[in-house]
């Protein structure tokens, strides 16, 4: 009982102290060892730290660092080339200020589905959103909800082929690729998009009836036409199209056509193509898109070296934060008391591991305030168990993948989530002003979409 108490206390402290702003690089190992102390294995502290925590952290970095680095570089290239702003301006011209919410949601969705990070999207789109909402006299407090809907929901976890890390993490655990259960993903994504748009439009209508306008804000944003120095819309969209179509081509045709028998050798980890295909495909698609982006905008770079360096450095903190949370999960899973926790989770739905998987991923994503961190902990501790149960009950691994991915984007967006805090800071708003809309579009509606995907997947399988 004392060991279980230690696990629960360490999880609670991880959530509380992360919310208070203490870096997870310090928190994760400290609280993992805190749980070890309660387990009665205090003599193993140093061994647990170096041989379990650090080994797990290192394995995660080895596996996913190329995705974090290439994604960060791609986002920075899209930003500095003016491509991200060009896409947003094009949508403004096509849809107009009267469709401000839809314009911002689509701009964020296109950029994030193409591999641009939330932080780049937030900085690129917010000034345009502020100008649009001011022109339409729509409450500024709705902007974070619109950006969150476009960047933190359907393109992050649901749509097939998205290069988001939340769609990449399940691949090596289940032997799947980024296009797992594509129709279910599209249906889940559609619920998120349509449900979120309904909510935000409803809130805008209520504000209009109440006579609430943009509000009094110190905000100098104005809608400016893209200048001649920026790329045209076709050139701006080309890298994003390459990420999506390239990912599909590499996954389904190009990489499988190569000789990959050498992977069975111990030198290459004695593995097979199924274990690496998804990650290889995203690496190739992002690398191709970066090269094309650099070449197509060659004359626009004021300091390409600085852009590449900032993009690379910008990937380090996110991956080490997530890897530290993975190390934490591995320590917890190594404790004898975790067997009780594991059996309890499996027992929540003994005949349907999809439900147990969804609950576990959601709970850990909420506790850590991180979709990727929570899912990584869940799959590192229980992924093999869920795969065995899925085989036992005839559930396709692709369905496990899509449920895990969508589940990571539910409770992760609670108030202590780093992306939520950063988004509100970019917009110059507070939790009190805007979090209720973020909660509905990025937590409540994705949970409904998750329930739909589980129900359809249970009834009809992966499709």
């Amino acid at each position: 009982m004392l060991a279980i108490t230690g696990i629960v206390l360490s999880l609670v402290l991880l959530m509380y102290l992360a919310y208070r702003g203490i870096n997870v690089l310090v928190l994760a190992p400290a609280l993992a060892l805190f749980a070890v102390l309660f387990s009665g294995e205090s003599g193993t502290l140093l061994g647990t730290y170096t041989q379990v925590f650090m080994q797990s952290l290192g394995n995660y970095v080895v596996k996913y660092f190329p995705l974090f680095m290439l994604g960060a570089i791609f986002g920075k290239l899209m930003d500095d080339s003016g491509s991200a702003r060009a896409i947003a301006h094009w949508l403004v011209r096509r849809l107009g200020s009267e469709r401000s919410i839809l314009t911002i949601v689509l701009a964020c969705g296109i950029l994030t589905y193409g591999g641009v990070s939330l932080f780049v999207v937030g900085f690129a789109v917010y000034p345009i959103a502020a100008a649009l909402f001011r022109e339409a006299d729509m409450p500024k407090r709705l902007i974070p909800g619109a950006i969150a809907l476009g960047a933190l929901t359907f393109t992050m976890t649901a749509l097939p082929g998205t290069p988001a890390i939340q769609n990449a993490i399940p691949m090596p655990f289940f032997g799947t690729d980024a296009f797992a259960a594509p129709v279910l993903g599209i249906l889940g994504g559609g619920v998120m998009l349509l449900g979120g748009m309904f909510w935000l439009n409803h809130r805008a209508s209520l504000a209009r009836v109440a006579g609430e306008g943009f509000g009094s804000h110190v905000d100098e944003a104005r809608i400016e036409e893209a200048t001649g120095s920026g790329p045209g819309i076709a050139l701006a969209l080309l890298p994003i199209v390459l990420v999506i179509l390239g990912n599909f081509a590499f996954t389904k045709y190009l990489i499988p056509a190569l000789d990959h028998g050498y992977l069975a050798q111990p030198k290459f980890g004695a593995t097979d193509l199924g274990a690496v295909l998804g990650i290889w495909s995203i690496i190739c698609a992002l690398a191709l898109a970066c090269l094309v982006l650099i070449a197509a905008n060659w004359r626009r770079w004021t300091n390409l070296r600085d852009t590449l360096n900032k993009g690379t450095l910008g990937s380090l903190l996110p991956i080490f934060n997530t890897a530290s949370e993975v190390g934490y999960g591995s320590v917890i899973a190594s404790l004898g008391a975790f067997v009780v926790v594991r059996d309890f989770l499996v027992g929540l739905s003994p005949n349907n591991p999809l439900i147990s998987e969804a609950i576990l991923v959601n709970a850990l994503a909420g506790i850590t305030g991180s979709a990727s961190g929570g899912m990584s902990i869940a799959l590192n501790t229980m992924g093999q168990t869920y795969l065995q149960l899925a085989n036992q009950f005839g559930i396709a691994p692709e369905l496990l993948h899509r449920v895990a991915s969508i589940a990571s984007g539910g409770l992760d967006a609670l108030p202590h989530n780093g992306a939520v805090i950063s988004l509100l800071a970019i917009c110059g708003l507070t939790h009190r002003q805007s979090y209720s809309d973020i909660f509905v579009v990025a937590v409540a509606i994705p949970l409904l979409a998750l329930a739909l995907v589980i129900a359809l997947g249970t009834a009809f399988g992966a499709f």
Side-chain angles (χ1 to χ4, degrees):
M1 184 63 186
L2 186 60
I4 296 293
T5 301
I7 292 175
V8 173
L9 277 177
S10 72
L11 286 170
V12 171
L13 287 171
L14 181 64
M15 178 172 63
Y16 173 74
L17 295 175
Y19 179 69
R20 301 294 297 177
I22 299 178
N23 196 293
V24 74
L25 293 176
V26 175
L27 281 180
L31 292 175
L33 298 180
F34 173 85
V36 173
L37 284 175
F38 271 76
S39 72
E41 302 175 29
S42 57
T44 68
L45 286 179
L46 289 174
T48 298
Y49 178 63
T50 61
Q51 306 306 117
V52 179
F53 182 90
M54 289 305 301
Q55 289 289 329
S56 181
L57 181 152
N59 289 339
Y60 185 89
V61 173
V62 167
K63 186 179 295 183
Y64 294 112
F65 178 67
L67 303 188
F68 278 84
M69 181 185 68
L70 288 170
I73 291 174
F74 178 71
K76 189 61 178 169
L77 289 170
M78 286 290 292
D79 189 18
D80 287 0
S81 68
S83 299
R85 290 185 298 278
I87 292 170
H89 282 297
W90 181 77
L91 285 170
V92 169
R93 291 195 297 271
R94 291 296 179 274
L95 298 177
S97 60
E98 67 275 9
R99 296 184 180 90
S100 301
I101 294 175
L102 178 61
T103 299
I104 299 308
V105 171
L106 290 181
C108 295
I110 291 171
L111 291 171
T112 51
Y113 191 43
V116 182
S117 74
L118 165 70
F119 301 100
V120 171
V121 170
F123 282 111
V125 172
Y126 166 68
I128 299 168
L132 275 176
F133 277 55
R134 183 190 293 277
E135 182 177 319
D137 200 26
M138 194 175 295
K140 181 184 176 182
R141 60 181 172 81
L142 297 179
I143 292 177
I147 294 177
L149 175 58
L152 292 177
T153 61
F154 59 99
T155 59
M156 186 178 82
T157 64
L159 294 188
T162 176
I165 191 65
Q166 290 79 5
N167 193 38
I169 289 172
M171 296 190 296
F173 292 97
F174 303 134
T176 51
D177 58 51
F179 296 87
V183 177
L184 284 174
I186 291 170
L187 290 174
V191 170
M192 296 180 205
L193 174 59
L194 296 177
M197 284 300 305
F198 173 81
W199 173 261
L200 292 174
N201 284 327
H202 172 66
R203 294 279 283 171
S205 297
L206 292 179
R208 193 178 304 113
V209 170
E212 180 186 358
F214 183 80
S216 178
H217 302 279
V218 180
D219 193 324
E220 298 301 323
R222 296 288 183 271
I223 299 176
E224 299 174 357
E225 291 297 322
T227 64
S229 61
I233 185 59
L235 194 57
L237 284 171
L238 176 60
I240 287 178
V241 173
L242 283 175
V243 171
I244 298 167
L245 295 185
N247 188 6
F248 182 81
F250 283 116
T251 298
K252 302 299 182 182
Y253 304 107
L254 300 180
I255 293 179
L258 300 175
D259 176 18
H260 46 78
Y262 66 89
L263 289 172
Q265 300 175 26
K267 176 181 176 180
F268 299 100
T271 186
D272 56 39
L273 183 63
V276 295
L277 176 61
I279 292 176
W280 281 8
S281 298
I282 297 176
I283 288 173
C284 291
L286 284 171
L288 175 63
C290 287
L291 291 174
V292 170
L293 187 50
I294 291 171
N297 294 279
W298 189 253
R299 295 184 178 180
R300 295 187 178 91
W301 303 114
T302 57
N303 191 335
L304 180 57
R305 181 180 63 184
D306 187 56
T307 296
L308 293 174
N309 287 343
K310 286 183 177 179
T312 303
L313 292 174
S315 68
L316 297 181
L317 184 59
I319 190 170
F320 274 96
N321 278 341
T322 305
S324 293
E325 291 167 344
V326 171
Y328 170 86
S330 295
V331 172
I332 298 299
S334 72
L335 301 178
F338 185 75
V339 174
V340 178
V341 178
R342 182 194 64 195
D343 292 344
F344 169 76
L345 291 169
V346 172
L348 291 174
S349 180
N351 298 319
N352 191 345
L354 296 175
I355 296 175
S356 171
E357 179 189 44
I359 293 172
L360 177 62
V361 172
N362 251 304
L364 289 174
I367 289 167
T368 60
S370 168
S372 56
M375 178 164 49
S376 295
I377 294 173
L379 296 187
N380 269 281
T381 55
M382 293 285 289
Q384 191 60 39
T385 299
Y386 288 134
L387 186 58
Q388 292 171 355
L389 289 171
N391 291 332
Q392 177 183 337
F393 291 105
I395 296 172
E398 289 78 12
L399 187 53
L400 284 175
H401 173 133
R402 190 53 55 204
V403 168
S405 183
I406 294 177
S408 73
L411 296 180
D412 71 305
L414 292 177
H416 62 292
N417 174 270
V420 170
I421 293 170
S422 297
L423 176 57
L424 291 172
I426 290 170
C427 296
L429 294 165
T430 66
H431 281 77
R432 182 188 294 271
Q433 291 171 304
S434 296
Y435 180 72
S436 60
D437 295 309
I438 295 175
F439 177 84
V440 172
V441 303
V443 177
I445 293 175
L447 289 177
L448 291 176
L450 174 63
L452 173 67
V453 168
I454 292 175
L456 290 176
T458 300
F460 305 107
F463 60 93

